[in-house]
Amino acid sequence: MKCIFCDNNLDNSDEHIILNSLNGKLHSKEIICSECNNFFGSHLDNVAKKFFNTILLVFQFKNASGEIAENLKGEDKFLFQKNLTPKQVKLDISEFKSQGKRLVSVSGNPKDAMKKFEKLTKTLEDTGSKIIAKSIQESTKGVPLRIKVDFKTNSEINILLNKIALEYCHYIKMTDLNTKDLALKVRVLDKTLSNVFYCNLTEEIRKFSNGEITHCIFLKKIENKLIVYIELFNVICSVIVIDDNYVGEDIEHQYYQNAITGEKMDSDLGINLNEIKKLVESKPESIVDFNPLANKLFLRKRDKDFSDKIDFELNSIANRLQNELKNKQITQKQFAEKYIDETTEMIAELSIENPYLMDDVDDANNDELNYYHSNIRAEQFEEFSNQYKHLIGKKVNYENDKTYLIEEFSQAPIAEQNGIKINRLYICLFNGFNRIHIPYREFFEGISVK
């Protein structure tokens, strides 16, 4: 048997059709030779990993890399490490005078920051200045950060999707294919491929189920076209036309897996074939922004985590009460009563700690709940800023009575419920050395303004 991308004989090279780096579990030794496998590993695996790295990081894949993060001012001086803890990687240097003293602050990577700080202090000493005190502090404390993401497609992603589609066709043993020219274009990384139709931004082709985080491949003959529909993490969704003049037998085949656990799934994908028919008659776009589907993915993760937490707590309550019943500490009637009371209380507490998850509960307009979490509706920020603008420039005591100035108010997006955007509101304090963002409830309840 020959490699589908060249004339080499197959040599037992194991190929993951959906990349192993994306936790793809479908693989075969009857598709590709080791030379082509290594070639694609060097040229396309990194393309996929770079594109999906934020997802790999959020879901704590072992092969994830850290991601550059920015503060609320848009300064990308920070890095979210593999364990999702932040560190500052670019130096931030500030100087100002206060009460006749010159204050110098350097924050960032400890080694580089100390090196720069020592250089600055030496320069000051050489000019006759006397160093009164030095201090080292954690620079990312109280700094709201966000990862900059970009899920826009490119020509390399086009090639990757064609490779997956071709390999899947051969995996299911299709023998009446006319794909030699396409396979050659994939092998030489032809960036002019124009057979990829990006789609499903409004879930018009396939609806995602609650908590779904999956990969899928769907192959179908539609009229005279052989198409392969591919989803990766339910973010990239695409239709690849493998052959626009396919004369082979009618065929329909699918592969469906949990992208996190790798478990194969047998349920029907529910593909809207009419939408695919319309799509492949249109002109394909080479660059499509899939950020909306990435946001939906992260929201489904949040919802799933909340659901898993409730299931865990329900089981814990049930197991504890079952033991009490077994040991005759409670009756069957008391078991039922206590279970209802405890689970109701537990769900209420979790709902307060995890708002905005249920569309049928109007948390977004619950001002008391929003205040509890230091959140506001996005539309309220201007009103808040005007109401409390007299605080800007005022002095406050914070962290062992250190004096800070109230520098500004800032906000960061937290959630969206029923079309209402919810932001976390911060009060920014600055003392020349440290800039700290305090959630506004903590500020108003625990800090007095001078």
Side-chain angles (χ1 to χ4, degrees), residues 57 71 116 216 309 334 339 430 438:
L57 181 64
N71 57 20
K116 184 66 175 180
C216 70
K309 176 68 174 175
Q334 289 173 322
Y339 182 79
F430 186 57
I438 304 175

Side-chain angles (χ1 to χ4, degrees), residues 93-267:
I93 303 170
S94 59
E95 299 183 39
F96 76 105
K97 292 184 178 181
S98 174
Q99 299 177 346
K101 299 182 181 66
R102 186 176 182 181
L103 304 178
V104 179
S105 170
V106 182
S107 62
N109 175 278
K111 182 178 179 180
D112 295 337
M114 284 302 302
K115 186 177 180 180
K116 184 66 175 180
F117 183 76
E118 294 295 341
K119 184 176 180 180
L120 288 172
T121 54
K122 185 177 186 307
T123 301
L124 292 173
E125 288 175 326
D126 290 345
T127 58
S129 299
K130 182 180 179 181
I131 307 300
I132 298 175
K134 300 179 183 179
S135 67
I136 301 174
Q137 299 181 23
E138 174 58 53
S139 62
T140 57
K141 180 180 179 181
V143 181
L145 300 174
R146 56 196 174 202
I147 296 176
K148 299 172 66 175
V149 298
D150 182 6
F151 289 100
K152 291 181 181 177
T153 59
N154 53 54
S155 58
E156 291 174 315
I157 295 295
N158 289 355
I159 299 168
L160 173 66
L161 293 168
N162 269 280
K163 175 177 174 287
I164 293 172
L166 283 170
E167 291 183 348
Y168 186 69
C169 290
H170 286 270
Y171 174 82
I172 63 173
K173 309 295 185 185
M174 293 189 68
T175 59
D176 48 2
L177 290 172
N178 183 25
T179 57
K180 189 172 183 179
D181 289 344
L182 179 59
L184 178 60
K185 289 181 179 181
V186 171
R187 181 61 175 84
V188 298
L189 306 178
D190 188 339
K191 294 184 178 182
T192 67
L193 288 170
S194 59
N195 63 333
V196 179
F197 296 79
Y198 292 109
C199 55
N200 211 42
L201 283 163
T202 59
E203 300 183 42
E204 71 280 2
I205 288 178
R206 196 178 82 84
K207 303 287 185 185
F208 306 131
S209 60
N210 292 335
E212 179 174 358
I213 305 164
T214 59
H215 301 314
C216 70
I217 306 175
F218 175 80
L219 182 145
K220 174 75 174 174
K221 179 184 179 182
I222 298 181
E223 296 177 347
N224 65 329
K225 291 181 171 63
L226 182 66
I227 65 95
V228 179
Y229 175 77
I230 297 173
E231 282 181 19
L232 300 176
F233 286 112
N234 315 117
V235 173
I236 281 188
C237 301
S238 59
V239 173
I240 298 92
V241 178
I242 293 294
D243 189 344
D244 58 8
N245 190 27
Y246 180 67
V247 295
E249 62 181 348
D250 288 342
I251 186 169
E252 181 175 317
H253 211 284
Q254 75 170 48
Y255 173 76
Y256 194 19
Q257 73 157 83
N258 185 308
I260 307 304
T261 66
E263 179 185 359
K264 186 178 178 182
M265 303 166 67
D266 296 321
S267 53

